Amino acid sequence: MKNLIFEEPEVDIPGYASSGLRYAWQSIRAPVIIPLLKLAVIICSIMSVMLFIERVGMALVILVVKVLRIKKYTKYKLDAMKQNIERNKRYPMVLIQIPMFNEKEVYKLSIGAVCGLSWPGDRLIVQVLDDSTNQVLRELVELECHKWIEKGVNVKYETRSNRNGYKAGALKEGLQKQYVEDCEFVAIFDADFQPDPDFLWKTIPYLLENPKLGLVQARWKFVNSEECMMTRLQEMSLDYHFSVEQEVGSSTYSFFGFNGTAGIWRIQAIKDAGGWKDRTTVEDMDLAVRASLKGWEFVFVGDVKVKNELPSTFKAYRYQQHRWSCGPANLLKKMTKEILFCKRVSLLKRLHLIYAFFFVRKIIAHWVTFFFYCIVIPACVVVPEVSLTKKVAIYIPATITILNAVSTPRSVHLLVLWILFENVMSLHRTKAAIIGLLEANRVNEWVVTEKLGNTMKQRNNARPSTSRSPWFRITERIHPLEIIVGMYMLHCAIYDLLFGRDHFYLYLLLQAGAFFTMGFGIVGTIVPN
């Protein structure tokens, strides 16, 4: 491993600094900096190999699945089950839950789409769980519900006097209503999700055919992916999640997580798992893990797509990524012992859940991206005694990147921008994962992802707000950590340009520019306050 990573140094430190600083640097360079950096390179190289093996393994599985056409959901006799339901007129009772919180831009879209589902009206209950703190908005949502009630849809408008448990608390209390006792299945849609009218016909037959099936997860379809460059880059990452991670987990009968929306559960599976819990910010993943440990099976149906909205403001996206990165790390800490000692599922599945799903994908993936590509590699430029081989610094990350990009062919030309964007976001995700593992002060921070509906129309029609000073709005967009890392990478780039013998400065300059761009908030849709 040592011979693979390190090469003998040939470059000495130039005397460009003042004598005092130079002396201090030289005094700690050999005994402290170089050994620590070599250790960091070894650790990051190991993490890179772990991530590489995981990604290549999933790529091979998905290749076999596509070539042999053995997707799990294609094994079900969907058409025969549909005909059987219609012939016998035995429609299961279905509950639809729409949790929302101050969703003024999208509440009409979601309620309208759910109320338009083609399922017998007497076998369907639409439950709008409104935790809004804006009283005027509550009245508007309630009015929208009454409009659909007048049209014959069984809509239940539910509110709470508090937000205990946030989304998990709302869903839990919703299932405790007396009218839910007759329901066999529950479908969940966040406020910006708009299912097609035939959604239930494309999902419920799976649950009816297989009594061991606890969850049917549909894919997301993004209605605003063309909104801005940030939404295009998000689409690349999420397409990989659905077309590879979810599909591999489903087709190999291993674990994959519930995405919190656009899925339909067997209510009995939720009860067996212990119901909704609010101990982390990923209540959906928490429920899925516990249900899986109880022996319930899941299926991902990639052919069923539900329209939804990507966060198009950088502020909203940062909050979402904090929740998505902090929650899994915190859940791993809370559930490792429970997973290891669960006797109901096989040891192989338990180890896969802890190692592959949680440790590699939810922690290692963030850490290696930030520490290796944004800290260690630039440091090796300034400390040439620690050199990297191309296998570690170039070939492995290039392979991982290409495997990700294949999922979104139309955006291959944005590959360089996607790499720069993901590297910057890795700082935020790494920090969130560490907070989750240490259960620090922001571990349970829950900020609902802002939805803008038709953002472009709103941006064109809105007038600038005078409620805040322009200076306050500018400082609100500045992110000091990103700027500091950008300055560090810029320094390393200049050093490499002046004294280096390779071309790392090309990457470092581009990456520094990306850190500055996002550090000053010059990314995403800018909506007037």
Side-chain angles (χ1 to χ4, degrees):
M1 186 68 175
K2 183 176 180 180
N3 294 332
L4 174 68
I5 298 173
F6 301 115
E7 299 171 355
E8 290 298 322
E10 298 180 359
V11 182
D12 294 327
I13 289 293
Y16 67 95
S18 65
S19 58
L21 291 176
R22 180 184 176 84
Y23 176 78
W25 170 253
Q26 292 288 7
S27 65
I28 65 171
R29 180 188 183 88
V32 179
I33 300 298
I34 293 177
L36 287 179
L37 188 55
K38 286 183 177 181
L39 178 62
V41 170
I42 292 175
I43 293 174
C44 289
S45 298
I46 293 172
M47 291 195 296
S48 292
V49 172
M50 291 168 63
L51 183 60
F52 174 78
I53 293 173
E54 172 68 11
R55 292 294 170 89
V56 171
M58 288 195 294
L60 293 175
V61 171
I62 205 67
L63 181 63
V64 172
V65 167
K66 289 185 178 294
V67 170
L68 301 181
R69 298 180 181 180
I70 54 174
K71 292 181 180 180
K72 184 176 180 180
Y73 62 90
T74 59
K75 298 179 179 180
Y76 287 82
K77 301 176 182 179
L78 195 63
D79 292 334
M81 183 59 67
K82 286 181 181 179
Q83 296 174 3
N84 184 51
I85 295 174
E86 293 180 323
R87 181 171 59 253
N88 298 326
K89 303 297 182 182
R90 297 183 62 179
Y91 304 96
M93 195 73 176
V94 181
L95 173 70
I96 310 289
Q97 290 184 313
I98 312 176
M100 58 176 58
F101 174 74
N102 293 338
E103 311 284 4
K104 67 176 183 177
E105 301 296 340
V106 294
Y107 73 91
K108 286 187 178 181
L109 294 175
S110 60
I111 295 175
V114 168
C115 290
L117 291 172
S118 59
W119 196 255
D122 61 336
R123 309 300 295 169
L124 183 68
I125 301 176
V126 177
Q127 190 181 65
V128 178
L129 304 169
D130 189 8
D131 275 358
S132 299
T133 54
N134 186 318
Q135 187 58 39
V136 175
L137 184 56
R138 275 196 176 194
E139 294 174 359
L140 291 174
V141 175
E142 186 175 13
L143 180 62
E144 183 68 17
C145 291
H146 282 297
K147 288 181 180 179
W148 286 100
I149 291 174
E150 293 174 356
K151 295 179 181 179
V153 182
N154 187 5
V155 180
K156 305 291 185 181
Y157 177 71
E158 304 289 353
T159 61
R160 301 190 296 167
S161 58
N162 56 67
R163 291 189 66 207
N164 293 341
Y166 301 105
K167 179 180 175 181
L171 294 171
K172 182 178 181 179
E173 290 192 22
L175 288 178
Q176 292 173 349
K177 303 298 180 181
Q178 187 174 0
Y179 56 80
V180 177
E181 294 179 359
D182 295 331
C183 295
E184 188 174 353
F185 307 116
V186 55
I188 302 169
F189 298 101
D190 283 349
D192 60 314
F193 278 71
Q194 306 162 50
D196 290 336
D198 59 353
F199 175 84
L200 295 179
W201 284 106
K202 290 182 176 180
T203 54
I204 286 180
Y206 294 103
L207 293 160
L208 293 177
E209 184 174 339
N210 183 2
K212 297 181 180 179
L213 197 61
L215 166 69
V216 177
Q217 175 69 60
R219 184 168 176 165
W220 299 358
K221 179 181 179 181
F222 311 111
V223 298
N224 67 331
S225 60
E226 302 286 347
E227 181 70 29
C228 60
M229 183 57 66
M230 192 180 78
T231 53
R232 286 289 298 273
L233 300 179
Q234 288 180 67
E235 181 189 39
M236 293 178 69
S237 299
L238 288 171
D239 277 350
Y240 178 83
H241 168 69
F242 285 107
S243 60
V244 178
E245 291 181 343
Q246 297 283 84
E247 188 63 69
V248 168
S250 178
S251 297
T252 59
Y253 295 87
S254 57
F255 176 80
F256 71 90
F258 173 46
N259 292 316
T261 180
I264 181 165
W265 279 90
R266 190 185 303 273
I267 293 180
Q268 187 59 47
I270 296 178
K271 292 179 179 179
D272 287 350
W276 291 100
K277 294 184 179 181
D278 60 354
R279 56 182 174 174
T280 69
T281 58
V282 284
E283 74 294 322
D284 45 9
M285 187 181 294
D286 188 351
L287 176 63
V289 171
R290 287 183 282 113
S292 180
L293 295 180
K294 290 293 183 179
W296 288 99
E297 298 176 4
F298 305 157
V299 65
F300 170 70
V301 186
D303 291 343
V304 180
K305 300 179 181 180
V306 181
K307 293 183 291 184
N308 73 294
E309 177 184 325
L310 290 164
S312 60
T313 66
F314 190 44
K315 180 180 179 181
Y317 184 61
R318 280 171 59 89
Y319 278 126
Q320 181 200 68
Q321 293 303 299
H322 173 84
R323 191 171 73 246
W324 287 5
S325 302
C326 178
N330 188 230
L331 184 62
L332 172 62
K333 180 178 181 180
K334 286 180 164 64
M335 292 202 68
T336 298
K337 184 177 180 180
E338 182 180 345
I339 295 171
L340 284 176
F341 289 97
C342 177
K343 301 299 182 182
R344 191 158 188 170
V345 298
S346 66
L347 177 62
L348 181 62
K349 186 172 183 177
R350 282 178 277 157
L351 294 177
H352 172 270
L353 178 57
I354 292 175
Y355 173 78
F357 180 82
F358 276 113
F359 189 59
V360 176
R361 299 182 200 171
K362 307 301 182 183
I363 296 178
I364 292 298
H366 304 325
W367 288 8
V368 73
T369 303
F370 175 65
F371 288 120
F372 198 25
Y373 306 127
C374 301
I375 301 297
V376 174
I377 289 180
C380 291
V381 171
V382 181
V383 185
E385 288 86 349
V386 183
S387 299
L388 294 167
T389 63
K390 292 182 179 179
K391 291 180 181 179
V392 176
I394 299 176
Y395 298 151
I396 287 180
T399 303
I400 294 173
T401 301
I402 292 171
L403 291 176
N404 190 101
V406 170
S407 303
T408 315
R410 76 183 190 95
S411 298
V412 170
H413 63 289
L414 301 176
L415 192 57
V416 173
L417 292 178
W418 179 81
I419 294 171
L420 299 176
F421 177 77
E422 286 294 299
N423 286 351
V424 177
M425 287 306 303
S426 69
L427 165 61
H428 192 63
R429 293 168 182 149
T430 296
K431 181 178 68 173
I434 293 174
I435 289 173
L437 289 174
L438 299 179
E439 295 193 320
N441 57 342
R442 291 183 61 196
V443 67
N444 290 319
E445 180 184 64
W446 180 279
V447 179
V448 176
T449 305
E450 179 186 23
K451 291 96 177 177
L452 299 179
N454 191 340
T455 311
M456 191 65 72
K457 180 179 178 180
Q458 180 187 26
R459 181 172 61 180
N460 292 336
N461 294 340
R463 295 182 179 180
S465 171
T466 57
S467 60
R468 293 183 178 182
S469 66
W471 174 249
F472 184 85
R473 291 198 298 270
I474 291 174
T475 57
E476 192 180 51
R477 299 179 63 85
I478 293 177
H479 307 289
L481 278 179
E482 281 84 348
I483 296 173
I484 291 172
V485 176
M487 293 174 64
Y488 162 72
M489 299 195 79
L490 179 61
H491 167 75
C492 296
I494 295 174
Y495 182 94
D496 189 56
L497 181 62
L498 295 177
F499 307 107
R501 295 183 180 180
D502 51 44
H503 295 85
F504 267 121
Y505 67 86
L506 295 174
Y507 158 70
L508 294 174
L509 286 173
L510 289 173
Q511 192 62 71
F515 270 101
F516 287 134
T517 299
M518 298 171 71
F520 287 104
I522 313 172
V523 65
T525 300
I526 300 176
V527 180
N529 291 319

